[in-house]
């Protein structure tokens, strides 16, 4: 028995969770809002961050399964957001109202994605370690001073850029597999 329901089910299991979930539709707009808010907080500092950026972790994710990629994105956004939950956020040079909006937007990005992954998946421990190192060597070293907030914002932008690239690649491979699995010609 081959019904439309089972066809849809087959299609969805081929694509899950990338296209059977709604997140791809909204992600770009929400990410654009986050980027815009970061931009409105002012120019990015030219200071070098004392913690090198984990490009390697991102490169690694390109070969991972979609579910792991989504978990990675959810966790990255969560860890970014954690950085800003700090007693001395008000030392930052920008008005904290923008940070509130930014965090709300990051939260929405995360919620959309969370619905698409099983909650028992955990992110890479190296990602957590990196964020701890980043916090320790910037915010904790200065007690949340203005200059360290500038570094945090600069690194946040790099993360959002990398996440956008990762999302673009997920989107591209989802499109490819959809085209492949669309039964335009019956196969035997
Ligand atoms: C957000 O989207 C608008 C309209 O498409 C575009 O002009 C703008 O450059 C984007 N902003 C960022 C930070 O990507
Ligand atoms: C940084 O400081 C905060 C607040 O004092 C503390 O909770 C956190 O554990 C510290 N982080 C690291 C990585 O030392
Ligand atoms: C916030 O700043 C105050 C005053 O500089 C400092 O005593 C305190 O440790 C800082 N809090 C954190 C969590 O870094």
């Amino acid at each position: 028995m081959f019904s439309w329901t089972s066809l849809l089910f087959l299609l969805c299991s081929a694509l899950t969770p990338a296209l059977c979930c709604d997140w791809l539709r909204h992600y770009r707009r929400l990410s654009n809002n986050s980027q815009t808010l970061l931009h409105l907080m002012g120019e990015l500092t030219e200071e070098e961050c004392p913690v090198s950026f984990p490009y390697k972790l991102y490169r690694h994710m390109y070969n991972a399964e979609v579910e792991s990629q989504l978990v990675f994105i959810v966790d990255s956004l969560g860890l970014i957001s954690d950085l800003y939950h700090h007693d001395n956020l008000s030392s930052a040079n920008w008005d904290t109202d923008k940070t509130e909006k930014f965090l709300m937007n990051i939260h929405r990005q995360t919620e959309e994605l969370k619905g698409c992954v099983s909650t028992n998946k955990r992110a890479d421990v190296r990602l957590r370690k990196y964020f701890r190192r980043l916090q320790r060597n910037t915010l904790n070293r200065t007690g949340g001073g203005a200059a360290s907030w500038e570094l945090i914002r600069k690194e946040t932008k790099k993360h959002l850029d990398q996440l956008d690239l990762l999302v673009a690649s997920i989107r591209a491979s989802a499109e490819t597999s959809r085209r492949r699995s669309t039964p335009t010609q019956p196969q035997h």
Side-chain angles (χ1 to χ4, degrees):
M1 245 324 153
F2 206 80
S3 66
W4 276 107
T5 317
S6 61
L7 177 61
L8 198 65
F9 176 77
L10 272 181
L11 248 156
C12 277
S13 42
L15 303 172
T16 295
L19 269 193
C20 282
C21 238
D22 236 10
W23 71 275
L24 273 169
R25 262 201 321 170
H26 305 291
Y27 191 90
R28 221 169 7 191
R29 180 176 49 80
L30 290 172
S31 176
N32 178 295
N33 290 350
S34 297
Q35 293 269 19
T36 302
L37 284 162
L38 280 185
H39 180 71
L40 288 175
M41 291 172 193
E43 295 234 338
L44 293 177
T45 178
E46 310 232 309
E47 284 293 307
E48 281 289 324
C49 184
V51 178
S52 57
F53 190 83
Y55 287 110
K56 215 169 139 189
L57 287 183
Y58 282 97
R59 272 203 303 277
H60 197 66
M61 287 320 295
Y62 281 88
N63 301 320
E65 291 187 348
V66 177
E67 174 117 343
S68 306
Q69 291 173 322
L70 297 191
V71 169
F72 180 85
I73 297 168
V74 167
D75 279 352
S76 298
L77 293 173
L79 290 162
I80 287 170
S81 170
D82 287 348
L83 291 172
Y84 292 85
H85 290 105
H86 188 283
D87 290 345
N88 291 344
L89 176 62
S90 56
S91 316
N93 288 329
W94 60 87
D95 95 56
T96 49
D97 181 50
K98 292 204 177 65
T99 316
E100 289 304 317
K101 285 199 189 124
F102 172 75
L103 292 179
M104 229 141 60
N105 205 74
I106 291 280
H107 181 71
R108 288 184 58 198
Q109 269 172 270
T110 314
E111 286 306 299
E112 301 256 345
L113 279 168
K114 266 190 188 160
C116 308
V117 293
S118 49
T119 47
N120 57 5
K121 285 239 178 186
R122 297 284 291 170
D124 204 311
V125 59
R126 284 168 301 177
L127 185 68
R128 289 173 191 284
K129 280 191 177 155
Y130 156 80
F131 273 97
R132 271 208 298 276
R133 212 161 51 239
L134 179 63
Q135 185 187 47
R136 195 168 50 237
N137 289 299
T138 55
L139 296 174
N140 284 24
R141 192 164 278 178
T142 64
S148 64
W149 282 114
E150 292 302 328
L151 287 172
I152 291 295
R153 188 161 59 89
K154 182 182 182 177
E155 297 309 292
T156 299
K157 160 118 182 81
K158 284 193 204 164
H159 282 288
L160 294 185
D161 287 343
Q162 288 298 315
L163 291 173
D164 279 353
L165 291 174
L166 185 57
V167 167
S169 110
I170 297 173
R171 185 193 286 267
S173 60
E175 287 295 321
T176 310
S177 62
R178 188 181 55 170
R179 242 176 275 128
R180 240 186 253 130
S181 55
T182 302
T184 42
Q185 275 148 18
Q187 290 177 355
H188 297 286

